[in-house]
Amino acid sequence: MLKKSIKNTIFINIGAFLLVLILELMSGWLFIDRYDTNYSFFLHDLNYTIAIMAIIWINHFVLIPFFLDKRRYFLFGILLIGSIFLVSYLKGNEKDGWLDISKFFFYLIYTTGAGMAAFFLRRNMIIQRENDEKEKLQKEMELNYLKAQVNPHFLFNSLNSIYSLSRKQSLETPDLVMQLSELMRYQLESSKKETVLLKEELEFIENYLFLEEKRLSNRCTIEFLIDGDLSGLRISPMLLIPFVENAVKHGAQSTNKQSTIDISATIKNSTLHFCVDNSKPHKVSSLKKTGLGLENVRRRLNFLYPNSHVLEIDDKEEKYHINLSIDLAVSKFKKTVND
């Protein structure tokens, strides 16, 4: 990285030198007759170019980093004006004395100002690019952290379901353990991908609901409806399951009375409308503390779909309602290989 930066600096300065030389040759071409030979004309403009670039290099590599960037503004201004005057005196005093010195002095101020403008523009672009890379890396690290938290959270809830069935000595327990292993396999495989097919994600939710329905026996009615064309649509993995887990945990799991969970996934013009409604026990007045799952999914939505999702949560006395809309056509990810 350091070698690449040094090479870029060398190339940029060589390019700047050649550009200034070309501009000098073009501006002095009308007065070429004043010179004895073309060689003397070229040598004169080359000397001017060296003088101009000397001021620019002194300013960029000495004065700006050691004085201006350290907020020594007065000293920076004095040294810059002094260096410009010194070069003007050395070049202008060769011919007409103070007249040429003054002309060259103001010319160098103009060229130095233009060089400083180009310098700060380039530096700001580099700083902005570095900040964007840091922000991207930070978001990727936080997303990986949030995604990693989903795994133990989901596993903990699922194992509780299997444990509850095993205590009842249900004959379906071995089959449900096998189904849980399939759910975990999907989760582990999908966690390695940035996106998965929406169809696969909804099938995963459907299988999870089947597992919960068996555990809750007849005291919970679960409805899961899918409507619309799912083909080709992709979504970040394990993004919807926390809403479903929340409905089970704060609804049917928290009471022995009859409860309901209604879930729908509707696709309209590549927009997913995901709704979850669950009944609440009368003794529970508020579900403001939604737990780790919903807090994580909020943050993931803000990272992954910052301007293309709407999340509405309505916590009523006897009902908890979640309505999520995501425009899946607006995706910041490329297709994942080997889906």
Side-chain angles (χ1 to χ4, degrees), residues 147-163:
K147 189 185 292 185
Q149 285 184 319
V150 174
N151 290 333
H153 187 261
F154 172 77
L155 179 60
F156 175 78
N157 289 342
S158 300
L159 287 177
N160 275 343
S161 300
I162 298 296
Y163 174 73

Side-chain angles (χ1 to χ4, degrees), residues 19-118:
L19 178 61
V20 173
L21 177 60
I22 292 172
L23 292 175
E24 283 294 321
L25 292 172
M26 291 176 63
S27 62
W29 189 259
L30 296 175
F31 308 102
I32 192 172
D33 295 337
R34 297 181 181 181
Y35 301 92
D36 297 331
T37 62
N38 291 339
Y39 175 75
S40 61
F41 165 72
F42 177 79
L43 187 62
H44 174 270
D45 284 357
L46 180 61
N47 288 333
Y48 265 69
T49 301
I50 292 174
I52 293 171
M53 292 305 299
I55 293 296
I56 292 176
W57 286 332
I58 290 172
N59 188 31
H60 288 184
F61 296 112
V62 179
L63 300 183
I64 290 177
F66 291 102
F67 297 97
L68 183 63
D69 287 346
K70 294 183 179 180
R71 298 183 178 181
R72 300 175 181 175
Y73 303 123
F74 180 76
L75 190 57
F76 167 78
I78 294 296
L79 292 174
L80 179 60
I81 296 298
S83 60
I84 293 175
F85 179 79
L86 178 61
V87 174
S88 302
Y89 180 81
L90 294 175
K91 296 296 297 181
N93 199 39
E94 297 174 357
K95 293 186 178 181
D96 299 331
W98 288 107
L99 180 61
D100 267 10
I101 290 174
S102 62
K103 289 181 179 179
F104 202 69
F105 178 79
F106 288 108
Y107 179 66
L108 281 180
I109 287 181
Y110 168 75
T111 54
T112 303
M116 287 182 67

Side-chain angles (χ1 to χ4, degrees), residues 245-257:
E245 289 182 298
N246 183 74
V248 174
K249 178 180 179 181
H250 295 293
Q253 188 174 317
S254 59
T255 180
N256 291 322
K257 297 182 179 180

Side-chain angles (χ1 to χ4, degrees), residues 233-250:
L233 294 177
R234 310 179 69 83
I235 192 171
S236 180
M238 307 299 294
L239 190 63
L240 305 177
I241 190 64
F243 297 117
V244 180
E245 289 182 298
N246 183 74
V248 174
K249 178 180 179 181
H250 295 293

